Amino acid sequence: MTATINAMSLGDLLQHYRGRARLTQTELAGLSAVSVRAIRNLELGLARNPRKETIRLLADALRLGGGRRAALFVAAGLRADDASFEVLSVLPAVAATRPHGRGAELERTVGMLRRPTGRVVTVAGLGGCGKTRLALAAAHILHTETGVPTLWMSVSRAAGPDTGIHDGLQVAPAAVWMEGLLARTRGAGTEAARLVGDRDVLLVIDGNDTTPDGDRVSRATMDALLAECPRLRVVETARTARDREQDRTVQLGPLHAHDVDALDGPHPAPPSPALAVLLDRIAVLRPGYRPDAGDAAALGEICSLLDGLPRALESVASWLVLCPPDELVSMARSEPLLLAAPPCDTAAGSWIDRALAQAVAELTPDQRTLLAQLADLDGHWTVEQVALRLGLSRASAAVAVQAMLHQGLVRREHTDRRIAFSVLNLVRAACPSVLPHPATPSHPSMPSQPSQRQEEAPHDGADHRRDTRRFGTAAGVLRDRSRRGHAA
């Protein structure tokens, strides 16, 4: 039957499909907005080189999909790619669920895409913070509201190693086709522009970061696509927003991981966003598992020690298949970087090691040194405190902290009246390998009271701090608390 259809002329094929739909030429004209005369001429073979829009309208009215739609386009002398567009733009089912704790960021992303001028939006953040997941949800909302289809390209997969889609979060099979299309036309994007044309389309370019091989959809290519496709909108995910584009950037940080009450009882407290991500992943890998009060407390502490980083929490669920929560919380205290990667990932060079190294590499040498000094401080701090403690001007301290915040290496802390920050626990654990050893500054502008750690550090204090970071910070924090208690 397929061979017979492929051998048919456009007129015979159109008449065949119209007969299957039990439509007259007049009825098909009413459904498709194509004139009766044009339909008659097509069926009689009198129309030469029909317009693509005419064939698309007829295919829509006849409700043709897949192979039948492609056959009609090919018979009309058009490319099958045009017929496959609707098939290519199918989003995975996970896109229909909103990511935990990202309501404000999701609304901002969709809000910018709704605006006539919102043609390019960048979702930026540390690797593993959920950029791909947010882009999927935004594409689904836009499609639900307006019917805009989505074409997906994963630069990381087209370039080689997978760094953007993980732990079962897979895009539609059509993404492979789109990746290949843009990979072949990376210079000018001519083929992609021909496919999109004047369609109202959302293009998601996932993992659009500069790699050692230079694999990235350049701004020139993106501008060319936008110029040739007037109704095209683009969402790109990247570790860092491009220069001077902060006004159209949605910055993602780690999820909140506040302590929660036990999940038992008639009215259990809702889990934090970080714990909700972990529980969702556990439900997939261990169906029927429900944590008791002790397990819930352990999982909540794990979420805090892993900074609420979604991909790290998905790795914890993989470990939970092998180890109970009390063993995992011990691992999170001593070896958080190991727990942040799934058991199948190597401890050296895992995704979290790469993500942190890439983020630190974006800082200047002075900013890296400052980050090492901040990682050596307890608790959270403000920009003013950083300036006073380390002898910096407020402006230079603000610029450095902002750069660290944009790279996802520090996070904002919720306090009553101050804007405070803290270094991620995973960054502290990675300090020996990705950051220089901090030197204690000596400036007249520093506070008159030295820090507690400076007062009490023994001769081997530097080695002790390196060991504390290498094997986890929990033990060091407990020792400091004990010392402070004795001092009081």
Side-chain angles (χ1 to χ4, degrees):
M1 182 63 183
T2 301
T4 302
I5 288 177
N6 290 337
M8 286 183 177
S9 65
L10 174 60
D12 293 338
L13 197 56
L14 180 58
Q15 189 173 3
H16 170 72
Y17 288 147
R18 182 171 59 80
R20 284 175 55 92
R22 297 181 180 179
L23 295 174
T24 65
Q25 290 180 344
T26 302
E27 290 170 336
L28 179 57
L31 292 172
S32 64
V34 178
S35 69
V36 175
R37 181 180 179 181
I39 294 174
R40 183 183 303 113
N41 289 339
L42 285 172
E43 292 188 355
L44 293 176
L46 300 178
R48 304 281 182 168
N49 302 320
R51 295 174 59 243
K52 180 175 65 176
E53 181 65 17
T54 300
I55 302 302
R56 186 185 68 80
L57 290 172
L58 292 171
D60 288 344
L62 292 168
R63 297 185 179 182
L64 299 180
R68 291 191 179 95
R69 191 180 189 93
L72 188 65
F73 272 69
V74 171
L78 302 171
R79 299 187 53 157
D81 292 344
D82 298 310
S84 303
F85 183 87
E86 286 79 5
V87 180
L88 293 173
S89 57
V90 177
L91 288 171
V94 69
T97 59
R98 298 198 173 205
H100 295 288
R102 300 298 192 196
E105 294 91 341
L106 183 58
E107 180 57 35
R108 182 162 184 258
T109 302
V110 178
M112 286 192 288
L113 291 173
R114 290 190 188 109
R115 298 200 304 257
T117 57
R119 299 192 64 194
V120 179
V121 178
T122 300
V123 180
L126 179 68
C129 70
K131 302 184 292 293
T132 301
R133 186 70 184 79
L134 185 77
L136 279 169
H140 178 269
I141 291 175
L142 196 65
H143 177 72
T144 301
E145 290 181 351
T146 63
V148 173
T150 302
L151 292 178
W152 192 283
M153 177 188 181
S154 176
V155 177
S156 57
R157 290 206 299 163
D162 175 17
T163 58
I165 301 177
H166 51 87
D167 288 333
L169 179 58
Q170 298 294 334
V171 299
V176 178
W177 187 92
M178 190 61 192
E179 289 161 13
L181 175 64
L182 287 188
R184 291 195 305 269
T185 61
R186 190 174 293 132
T190 304
E191 186 67 14
R194 190 203 63 77
L195 173 70
V196 175
D198 59 354
R199 290 186 176 98
D200 196 0
V201 174
L202 175 66
L203 171 62
V204 178
I205 307 176
D206 190 34
N208 199 25
D209 296 306
T210 301
T211 66
D213 297 329
D215 289 300
R216 182 178 189 176
V217 178
S218 67
R219 174 56 68 203
T221 298
M222 199 177 298
D223 288 343
L225 280 171
L226 292 169
E228 295 186 50
C229 308
R231 301 173 68 187
L232 174 68
R233 284 169 274 188
V234 177
V235 171
E236 64 171 343
T237 69
R239 292 189 303 269
T240 309
R242 301 175 194 258
D243 295 339
R244 301 180 299 277
E245 293 187 2
Q246 296 298 328
D247 58 328
R248 53 189 185 190
T249 297
V250 177
Q251 189 74 36
L252 292 190
L255 292 172
H256 299 309
H258 303 305
D259 293 334
V260 298
D261 297 332
L263 300 182
D264 295 328
H267 301 289
S272 66
L275 184 55
V277 169
L278 178 54
L279 293 175
D280 281 354
R281 189 62 182 162
I282 292 173
V284 173
L285 298 180
R286 291 188 57 179
Y289 170 78
R290 178 175 174 79
D292 57 21
D295 286 355
L299 295 178
E301 183 177 353
I302 290 171
C303 290
S304 296
L305 292 172
L306 296 189
D307 302 302
L309 204 59
R311 188 170 180 182
L313 300 178
E314 293 171 359
S315 299
V316 173
S318 300
W319 281 98
L320 193 61
V321 177
L322 306 173
C323 308
D326 57 340
E327 291 184 15
L328 294 185
V329 75
S330 177
M331 187 187 301
R333 293 167 181 165
S334 60
E335 298 179 282
L337 292 174
L338 179 62
L339 186 60
C344 59
D345 202 353
T346 57
S350 64
W351 77 266
I352 183 62
D353 293 325
R354 295 193 303 272
L356 293 176
Q358 290 164 349
V360 169
E362 296 290 334
L363 302 178
T364 66
D366 289 343
Q367 290 170 351
R368 288 195 286 269
T369 300
L370 177 59
L371 178 60
Q373 293 170 335
L374 294 176
D376 212 39
L377 300 178
D378 292 330
H380 52 260
W381 32 263
T382 65
V383 170
E384 183 176 9
Q385 288 172 337
V386 169
L388 292 175
R389 182 182 292 270
L390 300 179
L392 305 172
S393 67
R394 286 185 176 87
S396 60
V399 169
V401 172
Q402 184 181 48
M404 299 172 197
L405 187 65
H406 286 168
Q407 294 301 327
L409 299 168
V410 302
R411 67 182 304 160
R412 283 190 59 171
E413 298 289 349
H414 289 267
T415 58
D416 292 335
R417 304 184 63 181
R418 299 186 307 168
I419 300 178
F421 306 89
S422 65
V423 178
L424 298 191
N425 188 52
L426 291 171
V427 175
R428 296 174 187 271
C431 271
S433 59
V434 300
L435 288 173
H437 178 62
T440 303
S442 178
H443 296 278
S445 58
M446 289 180 64
S448 58
Q449 295 182 350
S451 67
Q452 188 72 28
R453 184 169 291 190
Q454 289 174 326
E455 289 177 350
E456 300 167 351
H459 292 295
D460 60 345
D463 294 333
H464 168 72
R465 285 193 294 273
R466 282 197 296 270
D467 291 339
T468 298
R469 285 194 296 267
R470 182 177 296 111
F471 298 106
T473 59
V477 171
L478 292 176
R479 291 193 192 96
D480 287 344
R481 287 177 180 171
S482 175
R483 289 172 182 162
R484 285 195 290 271
H486 287 303

